Amino acid sequence: MTNTLETFIAALPKAELHLHIEGSLEPELMFALARRNRLALPYKSVEDLRSAYNFSNLQDFLDIYYAGAQVLRTEEDFHDLTLAYFTRAAADGVLHAEIFFDPQTHTDRGIPFATAVQGILSGMAAAQSRYAITSKLIMCFLRHLDEAAAFTTLHQAEPWFDKIAGIGLDSSERGHPPSKFARVFAAAGSAGLKRVAHAGEEGPAANVWEALNELHIDRLDHGNNALDDPTLIAHLAATQMTLTVCPLSNLRLRVVPNLQAHPIDKMLAQNLRATINSDDPAYFGGYIAENFKAVAQARNLTRAQLTTLARNSFLGAFLDDTTRQHYLSRLDDFA
Ligand code: ADE
Ligand code: ZN
């Protein structure tokens, strides 16, 4: 039997480092949860909903994504959503995942922080026992909201600080530079939380500099536009900052005109620690293996390059040394 690209990618041991759990809400589950919670959706069918997933830019997507999340009401809803993601991740060869959630998307419509976090954590625990996938949770602040709201969210999270690995920053990048959240990130850092931020997705390379210098990030989400600044590229390479790159997201949000123009191999060629991730797979047409496959085909990536991308995912994960070595050995045994 030939080892096709697809079977190679599915078996390649990998970590997912950029996945919004709300962005893994498949239309079928959205309809099921709407029914369970007796809510009406403004779409006639799953097909009708899917046909609305045609985005011109990030904001276009965010409007639909926040509306979709409204079907999530109970702890059981968050649990089911999370376990459904891990079922897909297990099929894609994911050994470890560090997933995002957006607490403010839920608390702002009256869902307690505890409901969301407990449901997600119990889904993560179920995935660990069912699929042996390890995971960590990162809570993101919505950057279109203000600093005070982010501080409120950070305080709400305090009882769970031992179960939350870090904080992130997402939502509309244009007009909301990282510096707006410098003080919240400093407070989270003092509490021992890891720090990541979306930057350089739609915003300029200057936003990546700000995320580094003012938010003191441990990992950079997207970072595509860093490629506009040679000094920044050299800095990211020298410090081996991990970039969580999301090819199908970049395509669907028109960060790149087509996947043939995707810069993933340019990033590797410049010694950037790039990784492949799925961002919001229910909305962008594919989970992590589909992201690997689409960009591998479009850019003619070699198996050595795909293995480097997988290695980078374990190097960039927030793992202790023993677990990291264990996963890297599994990759060495495979490749
Ligand atoms: N929230 C969910 N996905 C996002 C993305 N790609 N960029 C910014 N915010 C997001
Ligand atoms: Zn994202």
Side-chain angles (χ1 to χ4, degrees):
M1 201 182 83
T2 55
N3 187 0
T4 63
L5 178 65
E6 244 162 84
T7 54
F8 175 83
I9 288 170
L12 181 69
K14 59 182 81 63
E16 170 130 80
L17 304 179
H18 187 152
L19 178 281
H20 301 264
I21 198 65
E22 297 91 345
S24 72
L25 177 56
E26 290 288 342
E28 290 80 2
L29 183 57
M30 196 189 294
F31 269 88
L33 296 182
R35 213 172 305 123
R36 185 154 97 187
N37 292 320
R38 302 179 199 291
L39 303 165
L41 287 177
Y43 302 96
K44 287 196 295 287
S45 63
V46 161
E47 295 69 40
D48 189 29
L49 173 55
R50 269 218 175 84
S51 68
Y53 294 175
N54 183 10
F55 314 114
S56 308
N57 54 40
L58 175 59
Q59 193 59 52
D60 241 24
F61 154 70
L62 289 170
D63 293 342
I64 287 194
Y65 159 84
Y66 294 133
Q70 295 192 29
V71 300
L72 297 161
R73 295 284 161 115
T74 66
E75 199 173 312
E76 187 187 13
D77 297 341
F78 286 95
H79 173 98
D80 292 351
L81 171 71
T82 304
L83 192 52
Y85 161 68
F86 280 101
T87 301
R88 301 294 292 260
D92 279 6
V94 171
L95 306 185
H96 176 77
E98 300 187 354
I99 67 174
F100 298 131
F101 82 117
D102 286 338
Q104 289 157 297
T105 298
H106 313 301
T107 53
D108 282 4
R109 56 193 176 85
I111 309 297
F113 185 95
T115 299
V117 78
Q118 284 171 187
I120 295 168
L121 288 170
S122 80
M124 291 162 62
Q128 163 109 49
S129 56
R130 201 178 284 194
Y131 306 117
I133 301 181
T134 53
S135 60
K136 292 186 187 287
L137 184 58
I138 297 172
M139 61 170 216
C140 291
F141 302 118
L142 298 180
R143 68 202 307 160
H144 66 275
L145 301 178
D146 63 17
E147 182 199 42
F151 265 116
T152 300
T153 303
L154 186 64
H155 292 313
Q156 285 170 337
E158 269 167 19
W160 286 277
F161 272 3
D162 59 333
K163 297 190 176 66
I164 292 176
I167 56 151
L169 186 64
D170 65 2
S171 193
S172 324
E173 188 179 2
R174 289 197 180 121
H176 303 284
S179 52
K180 185 174 161 186
F181 298 94
R183 294 191 298 189
V184 192
F185 270 61
S190 302
L193 296 170
K194 295 285 190 191
R195 290 168 283 191
V196 304
H198 285 54
E201 181 186 20
E202 275 197 345
N207 277 6
V208 176
W209 280 120
E210 268 191 21
L212 294 169
N213 295 331
E214 300 194 38
L215 304 187
H216 305 287
I217 53 168
D218 298 292
R219 200 158 70 203
L220 171 60
D221 295 317
H222 296 294
N224 299 51
N225 292 336
L227 296 178
D228 296 339
D229 180 341
T231 312
L232 179 54
I233 296 170
H235 177 77
L236 293 169
T239 56
Q240 283 296 281
M241 173 61 64
T242 302
L243 277 68
T244 65
V245 181
C246 306
L248 289 174
S249 166
N250 294 160
L251 177 67
R252 298 294 290 274
L253 300 184
R254 309 195 190 197
V255 168
V256 293
N258 51 57
L259 281 184
Q260 287 69 35
H262 199 279
I264 192 72
D265 46 313
K266 287 196 195 79
M267 290 172 166
L268 293 180
Q270 304 200 72
N271 196 29
L272 294 175
R273 190 192 273 171
T275 62
I276 300 265
N277 307 273
S278 65
D279 206 3
D280 302 285
Y283 292 89
F284 300 149
Y287 287 74
I288 192 169
E290 197 58 40
N291 275 270
F292 266 90
K293 185 178 142 201
V295 81
Q297 288 177 330
R299 293 298 310 157
N300 260 314
L301 301 185
T302 64
R303 292 189 183 195
Q305 285 173 309
L306 298 175
T307 305
T308 297
L309 290 160
R311 180 176 311 282
N312 288 347
S313 72
F314 294 120
L315 294 173
F318 297 142
L319 292 166
D320 61 71
D321 289 344
T322 312
T323 315
R324 192 190 317 283
Q325 280 313 318
H326 165 75
Y327 284 139
L328 288 170
S329 317
R330 284 191 57 177
L331 184 61
D332 287 340
D333 292 345
F334 171 82

